Amino acid sequence: MSQKGRFNKNSFVIQGSILAIAGILVRVIGLIYRIPLTRILGDEGNGYYSTAFDIYNVLLLLSSQSMPLAVSKIVSEKLQKKEYKNASRVFKGSLIFALILGVVVGLFAYFGSDWLAASVYKSAPSAYALKILAPTLTVACVLGVMRGFFQGMGNMVPTAVSQIFEQIVNAFVSIFAAMELAAYGLSVYKTVGMSKSTSKAAFGAAGGTLGTLCGAIAALIVIAIILWRKYGDIKLLIKSDTTQNLDKYSRVTKILTFTILPVLLSTTIYNISNLLDNPIFQNIMHKFFHMSTTARAEDWGIYSAKYRLMTTMPIAISAALSTAMVPSLVRSYVAKNKEQLTEKVNQAFKFSMMIAIPCGVGLSVLGLPINKLLFGITPGTEKEIAIMMAFSVFTVVAFSLSTISNAILQGIDHLSIPIKNSAISLGVHLILLPILLIVFRLGIYGVVIGDITFAALVCILNAFSIKKYMDYKHDFIAIFVKPFIAAAFMGLFALASYWLFYKFTNNIVATIVAIAIAVIVYGILLIKIKAIVEEEILDLPKGAMLVRVLKKVKLI
């Protein structure tokens, strides 16, 4: 196969890799700034910070989170048909739609923050952080449309660049504002009627959320500049369009609504299980076990700021592949190219699992040392963190698979199927979680197990649906078995390396060495057992250079 042919066929892998690399960089920056932020806020402050974000994320789901996917899907369909004028109308109509929706949701978040935090989430101090997050919802809606427009064109670079700028601004502002407002909280604790520690934690959490707003504004400015620079090329395409049947803006709104609604429902149902866990956990532990607000905030702070933060990093790579894959799948689906469609699906599953499985295994065996290295650990919480992190492999694999499979079904125009499958899984989750908390008394571990069960059920139901509508069968050996074999040996080497070096050095050195050895062992094993071959390496960014290096060291 020619280099050009391979690139055209697997361009979503290239674009997905660009977005994934940006996603990794964004997560690394996020991880770095969360280290001082976690120390500034403490477990209680992290609990308020995470609760505010959980409320914000529910509203984000209902407003803008589905916007990039929906806009990219419609734009890619128009571009496949060379309807450039209609694609431009979709973009303009989407911007107006997003602005109106964003303002409405932002106002609701601001004026309803006290009620949401105190009555629904039983965490009144979280309201301060939510008030600062409220305007971000408006910015996020407009930003989502602009990112979706570029993604529909098959260009993930603007999204990637804007995400990096967003996170850099977020990091600096969050740390500075958290320090300043935490100090302010100590000075006004009597005025607001809180204890010193709670006032410091609540205002510190509010400072941490200010970075999110500033970061979103920075990302919007960056992507607007990119759009302005690209506008000349876009205008030329529009002028070359001879389409006579132009979509009226009323029709654009209708198409947008009927595309957004199923994507919105699917995305909301899929993501809301994790967001509902917080109020369910807070209310049950308060009502049945009389757990204090501080104790609940500390437990949720450990879960969200340590366990969930670490496990979402590798899941983000699957999310990046999914984002890049949908426009590519749409083009193959519209062109009725079944062979290309099947190969793209296979590639997406394979690359996702080659990353998710080793990351999950690594977090399971080195979770506690990594948390000690990054965040430090409050005395007495080591066992709790170690048990949580042991579940990482199941969490990472299940959520990565479900994310990819949802995108596949959306890309082949079966938008209602992810809604149905996620709704069934959510129903099971909402029944199971209270049982785990009340009957089995598992506490925060019940939340971890409930999340895994939800994602696993989505995977199973989506697998049956993909088989039904695409007549697709997983290459089980290539996608799952080979990466798992390499990851299992990697995990053993990592654990043995850690304990060996820990005896003679300290946690910092032992953890870094163990991670380095794990990466090398996994990479060598992947190549030796032919889990990845030369042609697939060439499809990656800088693949040709990587192949030359591997040949020099005689690995291929």
Side-chain angles (χ1 to χ4, degrees), residues 288-304:
F288 288 88
F289 301 100
H290 309 292
M291 197 173 182
S292 69
T293 301
T294 300
R296 284 184 277 118
E298 287 174 351
D299 262 6
W300 196 261
I302 292 169
Y303 165 78
S304 59

Side-chain angles (χ1 to χ4, degrees), residues 228-291:
W228 177 71
R229 291 175 65 86
K230 295 278 185 183
Y231 186 70
D233 295 334
I234 294 169
K235 200 170 180 180
L236 286 175
L237 287 174
I238 293 170
K239 283 184 177 180
S240 70
D241 185 5
T242 56
T243 303
Q244 298 298 317
N245 187 20
L246 295 180
D247 292 335
K248 294 181 179 179
Y249 281 106
S250 58
R251 174 173 165 73
V252 169
T253 304
K254 185 178 179 181
I255 293 170
L256 190 64
T257 302
F258 281 97
T259 304
I260 281 178
L261 280 176
V263 174
L264 172 65
L265 283 171
S266 174
T267 307
T268 301
I269 294 170
Y270 176 70
N271 287 281
I272 208 165
S273 66
N274 188 260
L275 302 175
L276 289 175
D277 288 349
N278 192 339
I280 291 171
F281 173 79
Q282 301 283 359
N283 280 277
I284 287 177
M285 300 311 288
H286 170 71
K287 184 176 180 180
F288 288 88
F289 301 100
H290 309 292
M291 197 173 182

Side-chain angles (χ1 to χ4, degrees), residues 155-362:
N155 184 0
M156 304 297 149
V157 174
T159 297
V161 172
S162 65
Q163 284 178 344
I164 292 168
F165 273 92
E166 179 179 9
Q167 192 71 319
I168 291 171
V169 173
N170 184 5
F172 282 105
V173 175
S174 292
I175 295 169
F176 177 76
M179 286 191 297
E180 291 297 314
L181 286 184
Y184 176 76
L186 282 174
S187 67
V188 298
Y189 74 97
K190 289 182 180 178
T191 307
V192 296
M194 297 180 185
S195 67
K196 273 189 175 182
S197 64
T198 299
S199 183
K200 177 187 175 184
F203 279 93
T209 59
L210 182 61
T212 305
L213 173 59
C214 295
I217 293 170
L220 184 60
I221 293 169
V222 167
I223 206 164
I225 292 170
I226 295 172
L227 179 63
W228 177 71
R229 291 175 65 86
K230 295 278 185 183
Y231 186 70
D233 295 334
I234 294 169
K235 200 170 180 180
L236 286 175
L237 287 174
I238 293 170
K239 283 184 177 180
S240 70
D241 185 5
T242 56
T243 303
Q244 298 298 317
N245 187 20
L246 295 180
D247 292 335
K248 294 181 179 179
Y249 281 106
S250 58
R251 174 173 165 73
V252 169
T253 304
K254 185 178 179 181
I255 293 170
L256 190 64
T257 302
F258 281 97
T259 304
I260 281 178
L261 280 176
V263 174
L264 172 65
L265 283 171
S266 174
T267 307
T268 301
I269 294 170
Y270 176 70
N271 287 281
I272 208 165
S273 66
N274 188 260
L275 302 175
L276 289 175
D277 288 349
N278 192 339
I280 291 171
F281 173 79
Q282 301 283 359
N283 280 277
I284 287 177
M285 300 311 288
H286 170 71
K287 184 176 180 180
F288 288 88
F289 301 100
H290 309 292
M291 197 173 182
S292 69
T293 301
T294 300
R296 284 184 277 118
E298 287 174 351
D299 262 6
W300 196 261
I302 292 169
Y303 165 78
S304 59
K306 293 182 170 70
Y307 167 79
R308 197 165 70 185
L309 178 66
M310 297 301 300
T311 55
T312 52
M313 289 188 68
I315 295 169
I317 297 171
S318 292
L321 278 174
S322 301
T323 300
M325 182 172 59
V326 170
S328 182
L329 286 179
V330 167
R331 287 191 287 273
S332 297
Y333 182 77
V334 170
K336 301 186 186 302
N337 191 330
K338 185 179 177 181
E339 183 183 349
Q340 194 177 86
L341 195 65
T342 301
E343 185 161 350
K344 286 178 179 178
V345 169
N346 208 47
Q347 287 282 337
F349 275 126
K350 186 172 181 179
F351 277 98
S352 175
M353 288 301 99
M354 279 197 300
I355 295 168
I357 292 173
C359 287
V361 170

Side-chain angles (χ1 to χ4, degrees), residues 469-492:
Y469 294 109
M470 280 188 61
D471 193 27
Y472 172 80
K473 292 182 180 179
H474 288 103
D475 185 347
F476 198 78
I477 300 296
I479 294 172
F480 299 104
V481 175
K482 287 184 177 180
F484 181 77
I485 290 171
F489 279 101
M490 175 209 78
L492 292 173

